[in-house]
Amino acid sequence: MSSTVGHPQVQAAAAFARERLGARGDEEVAAVGVVLGSGLGHVADVVEENGGKAVEYSAMPHFPTSSVEGHKGRLVAGRVGGARVVLMQGRVHRYEGYSAAQVVFPVRVLHALGVRRLLVTNAAGGLGDGFVAGDLMLIEDHLNLTGDNPLVGANDARFGARFPDLSDAYAARLRELAVKVATERSIALRRGVYAGLLGPSYETPAEIRMLKTLGAHAVGMSTVHEVIAANHLGMEVLGISCITNLAAGISPVKLSHDEVKETATRVGQVFSGLVLQLIPTLA
Ligand code: HPA
C-alpha cells in the first residue's frame, strides 16, 4: 500500500472529520455508513437539511476527490429516524487514476469514525433476465473483474487479516433485513451478482454476453474494492444497485452517462425512500 494512504493518514482524516462533523473527542460519529453512487446523493441532502453536518472531501487531509460529473464530494453526518449515520456523497473510482488503495481510503475513514455496517450503492447496467432501467437490485455477491485489489502490498494488521474471507461479503443477515424493509414498503427489489469492471469505457456486447455466462446480473465501475476493504475491516456490508440502463447489446440505444444520470434522478425518490428506511434498521 502506498504510504500516503496508510493507517496514520486514515487517523488524521478521521480526526479532522470528527471535529467538522461535531463529534466530541474520539467519540464515534456513527455505526452506520452509506456510500451514495452517481446521481443518488439526494439522501445526504435530506440528512443535512434535518440538522446534519457536512465536510467537503477537498478540505480533508489525504482524501481523494472525484472528477466525475454527478458526483459531489462530501461526508455528511446526521440522524435518520433517531439513528446516527455518516454518508459519503460521491466516491472516487479506479478509472480516475486513483490506486485501489486510494479508492478505499474513505471506507477506512468511515471505519475510524465508528462505522460497522456499511450500505454501498451504485449506478449499474442491467443484464439480468427481465431487468429494466429503473430497477433496484440487492447485491447478493460480486465478481471483481477489475484486475486489481485494494489489499495488494504489505498487509496492515490494524486494518485486517492478510487473507480476508469473502464468503459473506454482502452479509446474509443484512440482505434479509433489506428484503423485509423493501417488502413492507412495496418496493420491488431484484437480486443478483454485481460485476465490477475497471472502466471507464462501457462494455462491448461481447463482454456483456461473457458476463452473463459468468453469472452477473449488473455491471458497473465501482463498489467491489470498497466492499473488499470493508470486509477486511470486519464491517458488515449491504449493497444496492440502481439499474440505470440496460447493458450494451441489450439496450436498443447507445449507452451514455446522461442516461445513467437521468434514470438515477427518475428513480431517486424510491431509492432514497428505501435508503432512509434502511438506515435505522442497520443501526
Ligand atoms: N456499464 C458499466 N457501468 C455502468 C453502466 C454500464 O452499463 N451503467 C452505469 N454504470
Side-chain angles (χ1 to χ4, degrees), residues 217-246:
H217 302 87
V219 58
M221 307 172 193
S222 68
T223 303
V224 293
H225 294 155
E226 294 158 3
V227 171
I228 290 169
N231 275 270
H232 186 229
L233 289 157
M235 291 175 172
E236 280 184 298
V237 175
L238 181 63
I240 298 176
S241 290
C242 174
I243 305 299
T244 51
N245 57 281
L246 292 179

Side-chain angles (χ1 to χ4, degrees), residues 95-243:
Y95 64 72
E96 293 178 75
Y98 289 111
S99 69
Q102 284 173 308
V103 166
V104 305
F105 181 83
V107 168
R108 289 174 168 163
V109 172
L110 291 187
H111 182 265
L113 296 177
V115 171
R116 297 296 179 266
R117 265 117 21 232
L118 184 67
L119 168 57
V120 186
T121 71
N122 57 52
L127 53 136
D129 287 338
F131 279 29
V132 295
D135 281 348
L136 299 180
M137 186 190 92
L138 181 65
I139 304 177
E140 295 188 311
D141 206 345
H142 78 214
L143 295 163
N144 173 14
L145 301 175
T146 63
D148 203 352
N149 191 302
L151 308 182
V152 168
N155 185 58
D156 189 331
R158 290 171 291 188
F159 292 135
R162 171 73 290 188
F163 301 111
D165 171 55
L166 292 181
S167 43
D168 196 32
Y170 299 81
R173 187 182 80 83
L174 301 191
R175 283 187 272 135
E176 279 171 29
L177 277 177
V179 168
K180 190 163 163 283
V181 169
T183 306
E184 281 166 8
R185 296 269 140 188
S186 305
I187 296 172
L189 209 48
R190 304 261 188 194
R191 300 182 209 186
V193 172
Y194 174 90
L197 276 66
L198 180 59
S201 50
Y202 290 118
E203 302 69 35
T204 63
E207 286 165 345
I208 295 300
R209 287 194 298 275
M210 172 190 76
L211 293 175
K212 216 171 157 102
T213 306
L214 294 179
H217 302 87
V219 58
M221 307 172 193
S222 68
T223 303
V224 293
H225 294 155
E226 294 158 3
V227 171
I228 290 169
N231 275 270
H232 186 229
L233 289 157
M235 291 175 172
E236 280 184 298
V237 175
L238 181 63
I240 298 176
S241 290
C242 174
I243 305 299

